[in-house]
Amino acid sequence: MKDPNCIFCKIANGEIPAATVYEDDDFRVILDLGPASKGHALILPKEHAANLFELPDEIAAKALVVAKKVGKQLFDGLGCDGFNLVQNNGEAAGQTVFHFHMHLIPRYKGDTVNVGWKPGELTEETKAQVLGIFGK
């Protein structure tokens, strides 16, 4: 299903032009218009899902395969030193377009890209709460 009001549906299905680096029956991978680094790409499924929870399992699994394939090409072709694979779910997590997508961000030694956090501490209380969710 496609959402006629979703800009990423329109891009993924070729209705809006984009710099496409990879395409198959289920995905289009494009260069991000506001890149964090040289080669920053967006992995867009052609079918609409607002977030990871709405994405069919088979498409979710294939997204990682596409990321691996495109990431390897970027890694080799750009000579980057690594890459981040980022996927945000929900506004609080930084999602601004509500069509599942993954950011593939090439990283270069000494770059100023910030995809990190200050490590906290796992308390016994939090550990017990989270393990309890999983029946442990």
Side-chain angles (χ1 to χ4, degrees):
M1 178 172 105
K2 294 166 187 64
D3 180 340
N5 299 313
C6 175
I7 190 161
F8 277 5
C9 280
K10 292 176 183 180
I11 293 169
N13 290 285
E15 297 171 40
I16 295 175
T20 300
V21 299
Y22 173 86
E23 183 175 10
D24 64 25
D25 290 342
D26 298 311
F27 291 90
R28 182 181 298 256
V29 181
I30 64 168
L31 293 179
D32 194 307
L33 290 177
S37 70
K38 181 171 64 174
H40 180 169
L42 298 177
I43 301 168
L44 308 173
K46 291 183 176 180
E47 294 295 323
H48 185 78
N51 55 48
L52 179 63
F53 307 117
E54 292 183 8
L55 199 65
D57 289 349
E58 62 277 2
I59 297 298
K62 188 172 179 188
L64 198 54
V65 173
V66 170
K68 179 182 174 184
K69 182 183 296 187
V70 174
K72 176 75 169 131
Q73 287 183 270
L74 289 172
F75 189 84
D76 292 344
L78 294 175
C80 60
D81 301 302
F83 67 85
N84 292 110
L85 189 58
V86 178
Q87 199 281 311
N88 303 317
N89 278 288
E91 189 175 341
Q95 186 177 10
T96 58
V97 178
F98 293 89
H99 177 109
F100 173 89
H101 59 286
M102 294 185 350
H103 294 261
L104 202 155
I105 306 170
R107 298 301 302 273
Y108 304 89
K109 288 183 181 159
D111 69 24
T112 59
V113 176
N114 184 10
V115 183
W117 53 89
K118 181 180 176 188
E121 182 179 329
L122 179 61
T123 66
E124 288 299 318
E125 180 183 352
T126 299
K127 180 170 71 173
Q129 178 187 16
V130 174
L131 290 175
I133 294 169
F134 295 95
K136 309 240 181 217

